[in-house]
C-alpha cells in the first residue's frame, strides 16, 4: 500500500495545482478585463469630445499592452508547470508499480488462453450480477458471446430485486422470501424472518397512536420466535406504553434508529447468499483483494529466484514458493500440514488417520511402511497400512 500512497501524494499535488491555477487564472483575467474596460471607456470619452490622443493615454495604452503580454506569459508558464507535475504522476506509477506482473504466473497454470479468457469473463459477469449491475452484465455477455444459463442468473436477479426493495424501505418482498424459505433459514439458525417482522412492527410504532391497534394485531407474528427472542419482544411490547407521548422522547428511542435498515440489508445478503450457495463477496473482488496483498511478495520472490538462477523451485502450478498471510477474512476452509513431511496435504496427498488416532499424510504413510507393516511415528503401535482412513476436513 506504500506504493499506492506515493502515487496518491503526487496526484494530490497535481489536483492542488489545478485548483490553484484555476483560481489564479480567473482572478488575473477578471482584473485584466476590468483594467481594459476602464481604458476603453477613457478612449471612448476622448473620441466623443473630439480631442486628439494625449501622451498620457498613449502611455497608458502601452502599459496595458505590456500588462496583457506579461499576464498571458505568466499563465502559460504556470500551465506548463502543471504539465510537468502530471508527467511526474506517470513516473511515480512506473517507479512504484511493475508493469510486467503477468510474468509472476506462468501460462502453464491455464489449460489454454481461451479457457483463461472464459474464466475471467465469467468472474466479471458474476461480479456484475452480484453488484446489481444487471444491464452491464447482459451487455458484456452479448459482446463476449458468453452463454450464461438462466438458472445461474436467477438467484442474483431475485437477490437484487429484494435488496432494491429493502433500500426503498419496502419489507414485502423480503418477508415473502423469508416465509417461503423458513425451514431452511431455521436450519442455518438465521434470525432474518424475526428481524423483518420486528422492523415492520417498529414502522407501525413510528406511525403513532393511530397505528397502535394495528401494531398489537401484528405482534402475533412474534409467537414462533418467543423462545429465542423473548427479551427483544418484551422491549417492543414495553414501548407501546410510550406511544402516545412519542417514542423519540422515550427510553425506547433506539428502536427508531435508521441503522436498522442497513443491518437488515446485511443480514438478508448474508443469509440469502448462504442459502443459495453464494459467497457474500464476489470471487472477483476477493481475488483482487488477495492479489493486491500477494503480488508484491510474489514479485520479490520471482526476482530472487531469477537472480540466483534457482530453476525448479517454483513450478507455478497449484503451489506457491512461500506461505502468504492474507488475513482471517480469506480463511474459507481448514488445512492440514503433515507433521512428518512438513507439507500441506492436498487431493493427491490427503491426510490419513491411523487406527491409533494419529494423523499423517499419505506420502508419509507410504514412506514409513517397512515389510508390509506400519509403525506409528508417535506411538509404538504397529498396524496394517490398509487400515488407515482418509480424513476430509
Amino acid at each position: 500500500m506504500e506504493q499506492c500512497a506515493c502515487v496518491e501524494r503526487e496526484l494530490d499535488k497535481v489536483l492542488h495545482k489545478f485548483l490553484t491555477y484555476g483560481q489564479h487564472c480567473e482572478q488575473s483575467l477578471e482584473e485584466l478585463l476590468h483594467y481594459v474596460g476602464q481604458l476603453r471607456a477613457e478612449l471612448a470619452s476622448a473620441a466623443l469630445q473630439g480631442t486628439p490622443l494625449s501622451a498620457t493615454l498613449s502611455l497608458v495604452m502601452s502599459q496595458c499592452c505590456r500588462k496583457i503580454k506579461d499576464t498571458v506569459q505568466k499563465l502559460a508558464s504556470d500551465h506548463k508547470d502543471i504539465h510537468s507535475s502530471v508527467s511526474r504522476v506517470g513516473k511515480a506509477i512506473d517507479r512504484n508499480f511493475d508493469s510486467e506482473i503477468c510474468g509472476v504466473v506462468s501460462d502453464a497454470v491455464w489449460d489454454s488462453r481461451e479457457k483463461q479468457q472464459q474464466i475471467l469473463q465469467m468472474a466479471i459477469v458474476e461480479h456484475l450480477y452480484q453488484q446489481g449491475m444487471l444491464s452491464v452484465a447482459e451487455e458484456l455477455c452479448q459482446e463476449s458471446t458468453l452463454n450464461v444459463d438462466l438458472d445461474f442468473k436467477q438467484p442474483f436477479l431475485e437477490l437484487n430485486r429484494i435488496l432494491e426493495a429493502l433500500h426503498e424501505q419496502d419489507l414485502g418482498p423480503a418477508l415473502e422470501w423469508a416465509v417461503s424459505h423458513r425451514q431452511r433459514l431455521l436450519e442455518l439458525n438465521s434470525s432474518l424472518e424475526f428481524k423483518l417482522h420486528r422492523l415492520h412492527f417498529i414502522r407501525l410504532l413510528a406511525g403513532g397512536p393511530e397505528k397502535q391497534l394495528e401494531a398489537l394485531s401484528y405482534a402475533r407474528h412474534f409467537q414462533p420466535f418467543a423462545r429465542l427472542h423473548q427479551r427483544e419482544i418484551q422491549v417492543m411490547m414495553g414501548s407501546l406504553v410510550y406511544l402516545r407521548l412519542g417514542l423519540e422522547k422515550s427510553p425506547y428511542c433506539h428502536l427508531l434508529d435508521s441503522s436498522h435498515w442497513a443491518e437488515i440489508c446485511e443480514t438478508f445478503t448474508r443469509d440469502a447468499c448462504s442459502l443459495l450457495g453464494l459467497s457474500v463477496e464476489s470471487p472477483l473482488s476477493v481475488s483482487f483483494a488477495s492479489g493486491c496483498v500477494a503480488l508484491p511478495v510474489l514479485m520479490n520472490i520471482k526476482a530472487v529466484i531469477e537472480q540466483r538462477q534457482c530453476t525448479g523451485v517454483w513450478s507455478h502450478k497449484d503451489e506457491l514458493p512461500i506461505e502468504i498471510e492474507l488475513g482471517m477474512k480469506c480463511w474459507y476452509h481448514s488445512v492440514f500440514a503433515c507433521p512428518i513431511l512438513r507439507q500441506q496435504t492436498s487431493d493427491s496427498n490427503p491426510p490419513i488417520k491411523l487406527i491409533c488416532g494419529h494423523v499423517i499424510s499419505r506420502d508419509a504413510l507410504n514412506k514409513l511402511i517397512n515389510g508390509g507393516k506400519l509403525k506409528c511415528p508417535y506411538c509404538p503401535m504397529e498396524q496394517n497400512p490398509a487400515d488407515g482412513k482418509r480424513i476430509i476436513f
Side-chain angles (χ1 to χ4, degrees):
M1 296 308 292
E2 184 181 347
Q3 291 87 346
C4 294
C6 181
V7 174
E8 190 175 7
R9 283 194 296 270
E10 292 293 335
L11 190 59
D12 288 340
K13 291 178 183 177
V14 173
L15 293 174
H16 178 70
K17 283 189 176 182
F18 264 115
L19 181 62
T20 306
Y21 175 77
Q23 294 172 348
H24 174 66
C25 182
E26 187 176 352
Q27 183 180 355
S28 299
L29 291 175
E30 285 181 356
E31 291 176 356
L32 198 58
L33 286 170
H34 180 69
Y35 182 68
V36 172
Q38 287 181 333
L39 180 59
R40 182 181 179 182
E42 291 181 14
L43 290 172
S45 177
L48 288 173
Q49 294 175 5
T51 57
L53 191 65
S54 64
T56 304
L57 278 177
S58 297
L59 180 61
V60 171
M61 286 182 64
S62 300
Q63 291 176 347
C64 181
C65 292
R66 193 179 302 111
K67 186 173 183 179
I68 292 173
K69 183 179 179 181
D70 292 344
T71 302
V72 171
Q73 286 179 347
K74 179 69 169 61
L75 292 176
S77 176
D78 292 344
H79 193 269
K80 189 179 294 184
D81 185 47
I82 292 177
H83 278 285
S84 63
S85 299
V86 172
S87 66
R88 279 197 290 272
V89 174
K91 291 176 182 177
I93 292 173
D94 294 337
R95 185 172 60 252
N96 289 281
F97 296 97
D98 192 334
S99 58
E100 294 298 327
I101 60 173
C102 295
V104 175
V105 179
S106 171
D107 289 337
V109 172
W110 309 98
D111 298 331
S112 64
R113 189 168 184 83
E114 292 75 16
K115 183 71 172 177
Q116 175 183 358
Q117 187 175 6
Q118 185 181 3
I119 291 174
L120 180 59
Q121 288 173 349
M122 197 64 191
I124 295 173
V125 167
E126 183 175 345
H127 176 78
L128 293 172
Y129 276 129
Q130 196 151 351
Q131 295 299 314
M133 304 181 203
L134 308 179
S135 59
V136 182
E138 292 294 336
E139 188 68 27
L140 178 59
C141 290
Q142 291 179 7
E143 293 186 6
S144 62
T145 64
L146 189 67
N147 293 322
V148 180
D149 294 334
L150 184 61
D151 293 339
F152 176 81
K153 299 179 189 178
Q154 192 57 41
F156 297 106
L157 296 175
E158 186 177 21
L159 191 66
N160 283 288
R161 177 181 63 83
I162 296 173
L163 278 174
E164 285 178 8
L166 286 176
H167 288 143
E168 295 174 1
Q169 299 191 357
D170 179 8
L171 294 168
L175 272 170
E176 183 181 346
W177 185 90
V179 170
S180 63
H181 295 83
R182 177 178 295 169
Q183 189 57 41
R184 295 181 63 190
L185 286 171
L186 289 175
E187 292 172 2
L188 294 173
N189 294 322
S190 169
S191 59
L192 174 64
E193 187 180 352
F194 169 74
K195 288 182 177 180
L196 289 168
H197 285 305
R198 182 184 66 177
L199 198 54
H200 185 80
F201 183 82
I202 292 172
R203 289 189 70 182
L204 293 175
L205 293 179
E210 296 81 8
K211 295 285 186 178
Q212 184 173 2
L213 291 176
E214 188 178 349
L216 284 171
S217 177
Y218 192 83
R220 288 178 297 181
H221 289 88
F222 295 136
Q223 186 177 356
F225 311 102
R227 186 174 61 86
L228 296 176
H229 302 278
Q230 181 180 357
R231 175 60 182 163
E232 294 166 276
I233 295 172
Q234 288 174 346
V235 169
M236 286 186 287
M237 293 299 102
S239 67
L240 291 169
V241 177
Y242 294 88
L243 202 58
R244 295 188 180 279
L245 299 175
L247 283 184
E248 60 277 358
K249 298 177 182 178
S250 73
Y252 299 93
C253 59
H254 64 277
L255 294 175
L256 303 178
D257 196 334
S258 60
S259 63
H260 292 308
W261 288 100
E263 180 189 348
I264 200 66
C265 288
E266 292 176 6
T267 303
F268 172 77
T269 302
R270 183 183 66 250
D271 291 351
C273 286
S274 178
L275 202 66
L276 298 171
L278 303 172
S279 58
V280 177
E281 293 185 64
S282 72
L284 182 65
S285 61
V286 173
S287 301
F288 181 81
S290 302
C292 289
V293 176
L295 264 178
V297 181
L298 295 178
M299 289 166 66
N300 290 336
I301 290 295
K302 182 175 179 290
V304 171
I305 291 174
E306 290 177 350
Q307 184 180 2
R308 298 185 180 181
Q309 298 180 348
C310 303
T311 58
V313 174
W314 185 12
S315 66
H316 290 87
K317 193 168 180 68
D318 296 334
E319 66 175 9
L320 292 174
I322 59 170
E323 183 176 350
I324 299 176
E325 181 61 49
L326 298 178
M328 290 289 294
K329 189 178 180 181
C330 293
W331 285 17
Y332 293 101
H333 55 81
S334 302
V335 294
F336 175 77
C338 176
I340 306 301
L341 299 181
R342 308 290 183 183
Q343 293 178 348
Q344 185 173 311
T345 53
S346 62
D347 290 337
S348 58
N349 180 30
I352 303 295
K353 178 179 175 293
L354 306 179
I355 58 174
C356 56
H358 294 108
V359 181
I360 59 177
S361 67
R362 177 176 288 169
D363 288 350
L365 182 146
N366 293 333
K367 289 184 178 182
L368 291 171
I369 296 176
N370 186 9
K373 289 288 184 180
L374 170 68
K375 184 176 181 180
C376 175
Y378 288 96
C379 65
M381 182 178 291
E382 285 192 358
Q383 50 202 290
N384 187 342
D387 292 336
K389 293 183 178 180
R390 178 178 177 176
I391 291 181
I392 299 176
F393 291 98

